[in-house]
């Protein structure tokens, strides 16, 4: 590459580099520094040890995983058949897409407020269930573990659906036609052709949705019990930072959150690689 071409490319990339450095690299490095130091600026692992040795705080990791993993798996399992069915376009696709995308535009706080109104003890959902005599007293949809789960599904499902639909729509449809001409049935085509090609998109959607769910905050506060069963790790970080004003401890918790997310993504990537090995070694057997 000539010097002039390199300079042109560099100038084009400069705004992105500045954005990346100041909004990601610098905050991460500074947060890592805070997590590994005390108020006097001395190096210490005390912040991590203090968090992990305190059952009240350490338990927030398990609580958040119990919320994030089921919500992520449900989002993927619900979105997959819908995206697969709509991969070539269907009648009313725009309306369906609009209804699915709507929760993203509303935001987590607005969705939570809507759920409090319509799924609360005096909401229309409980009134319908009572009128149909399905329940004999109002069911606790909100201010519970279930409320947080429902919020994450409502908000995360459109995101996962769009990612899966975009990925599978990019797979060449002639592959399906060729397999069908050669005598393969629908299940075989899905299992041996479409699903393996779709797997990278599924892994990516699963990983990104888990990260979104693991960092849940507004839904856990508004729809859960932030001082009890739904005290997620982000609430712990918030309390240490803005109630106790210990930014060193809060940064350590943020680093732990990032490590847990990386471990989950690493496991997803391992499953993806293992799946590809199984497909590759199984040959053409049905």
């Amino acid at each position: 590459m000539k010097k002039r071409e390199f300079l042109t490319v560099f100038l084009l990339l400069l705004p992105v580099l500045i954005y990346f450095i100041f909004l990601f690299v610098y905050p991460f490095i500074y947060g890592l520094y805070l997590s590994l130091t005390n108020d006097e600026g001395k190096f210490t692992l005390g912040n991590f040890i203090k968090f992990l040795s305190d059952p009240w705080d350490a338990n927030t990791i398990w609580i958040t995983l119990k919320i994030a993993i089921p919500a992520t798996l449900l989002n993927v399992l619900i979105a997959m058949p819908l995206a697969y069915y709509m991969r070539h376009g269907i009648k009313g696709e725009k309306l369906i897409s609009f209804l699915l995308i709507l929760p993203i535009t509303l935001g987590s706080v607005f969705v939570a407020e809507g759920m409090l109104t319509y799924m609360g003890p005096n909401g229309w959902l409980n009134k319908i269930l009572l009128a149909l005599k399905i329940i004999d007293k109002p069911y606790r949809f909100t201010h519970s573990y279930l409320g947080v789960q429902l919020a994450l599904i409502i908000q995360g499902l459109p995101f996962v659906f769009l990612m899966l639909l975009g990925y599978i729509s990019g797979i060449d449809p002639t592959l399906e036609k060729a397999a069908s001409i050669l005598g393969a049935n629908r299940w075989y085509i899905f299992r041996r052709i479409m699903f393996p090609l779709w797997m990278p998109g599924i892994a990516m959607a699963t990983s990104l949705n888990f990260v979104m769910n693991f960092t849940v905050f507004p839904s856990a506060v508004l729809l859960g019990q932030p001082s009890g069963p739904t005290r997620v790790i982000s609430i712990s970080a918030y309390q240490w930072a803005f109630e106790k004003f210990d930014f060193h401890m809060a940064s350590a918790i943020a680093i732990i959150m990032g490590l847990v997310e990386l471990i989950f993504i690493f496991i997803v990537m391992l499953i993806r690689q293992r799946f590809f090995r199984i497909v590759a070694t199984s040959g053409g057997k049905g």
Side-chain angles (χ1 to χ4, degrees):
M1 183 181 291
K2 296 180 180 180
K3 184 176 180 180
R4 186 172 181 178
E5 292 177 350
F6 175 81
L7 182 61
T8 302
V9 173
F10 177 76
L11 291 175
L12 289 173
L13 292 176
L14 186 60
V16 177
L17 292 173
I18 293 173
Y19 175 86
F20 183 74
I21 290 171
F22 282 94
L23 293 183
F24 179 78
V25 176
Y26 170 73
F28 174 78
I29 294 175
Y30 184 62
L32 184 63
Y33 165 77
L34 287 177
S35 69
L36 294 171
T37 56
N38 55 23
D39 292 334
E40 299 175 355
K42 296 181 179 179
F43 173 81
T44 178
L45 293 175
N47 298 313
F48 294 95
I49 296 172
K50 184 178 179 180
F51 176 81
L52 296 174
S53 62
D54 185 348
W56 175 244
D57 275 330
N59 192 45
T60 58
I61 299 175
W62 173 240
I63 290 173
T64 313
L65 287 173
K66 286 197 300 181
I67 292 174
I69 292 177
T72 301
L73 295 178
L74 282 171
N75 282 334
V76 173
L77 292 176
I78 295 172
M80 278 183 62
L82 185 60
Y84 187 77
Y85 179 70
M86 294 177 60
R87 67 191 185 283
H88 298 317
I90 61 172
K91 188 177 181 179
E93 179 181 0
K94 292 183 179 179
L95 177 61
I96 295 173
S97 299
F98 170 77
L99 293 175
L100 287 171
I101 294 170
L102 189 60
I104 298 178
T105 64
L106 297 177
S108 57
V109 175
F110 197 86
V111 170
E113 289 294 334
M115 289 180 62
L116 288 172
T117 301
Y118 297 108
M119 292 185 180
N122 298 317
W124 64 266
L125 182 56
N126 267 310
K127 289 181 179 179
I128 291 175
L129 295 176
L130 288 169
L132 296 174
K133 296 184 179 180
I134 297 176
I135 57 176
D136 55 4
K137 61 180 180 179
Y139 189 80
R140 194 169 186 177
F141 289 103
T142 58
H143 300 299
S144 63
Y145 173 86
L146 178 61
V148 181
Q149 283 280 6
L150 289 173
L152 292 180
I153 293 171
I154 291 172
Q155 297 164 36
L157 181 58
F159 174 81
V160 175
F161 165 75
L162 290 174
M163 288 196 66
L164 294 180
L165 180 62
Y167 199 95
I168 197 170
S169 297
I171 298 175
D172 192 348
T174 57
L175 295 174
E176 292 181 77
K177 294 179 181 179
S180 180
I181 292 172
L182 293 172
N185 57 38
R186 291 184 178 181
W187 169 242
Y188 185 88
I189 292 172
F190 173 78
R191 182 169 58 91
R192 301 292 299 162
I193 299 175
M194 299 303 295
F195 187 71
L197 292 174
W198 203 10
M199 194 61 186
I202 295 172
M204 182 169 50
T206 302
S207 300
L208 292 177
N209 190 236
F210 173 80
V211 171
M212 293 170 59
N213 293 336
F214 192 77
T215 56
V216 58
F217 183 81
S219 299
V221 173
L222 295 172
L223 294 166
Q225 295 173 286
S227 298
T230 61
R231 184 175 182 265
V232 293
I233 191 170
S234 58
I235 293 177
S236 177
Y238 173 85
Q239 290 175 337
W240 277 102
F242 301 108
E243 292 181 8
K244 301 176 183 179
F245 298 102
D246 188 340
F247 294 100
H248 297 275
M249 186 67 171
S251 298
I253 296 173
I255 296 297
I256 291 172
M257 290 176 66
L259 289 174
V260 173
E261 292 166 359
L262 286 175
I263 291 171
F264 180 87
I265 294 172
F266 179 72
I267 293 172
V268 171
M269 293 300 111
L270 281 180
I271 294 173
R272 174 192 164 189
Q273 288 299 114
R274 183 174 179 81
F275 174 82
F276 274 127
R277 287 174 186 170
I278 292 172
V279 172
T281 56
S282 63
K285 296 179 182 180

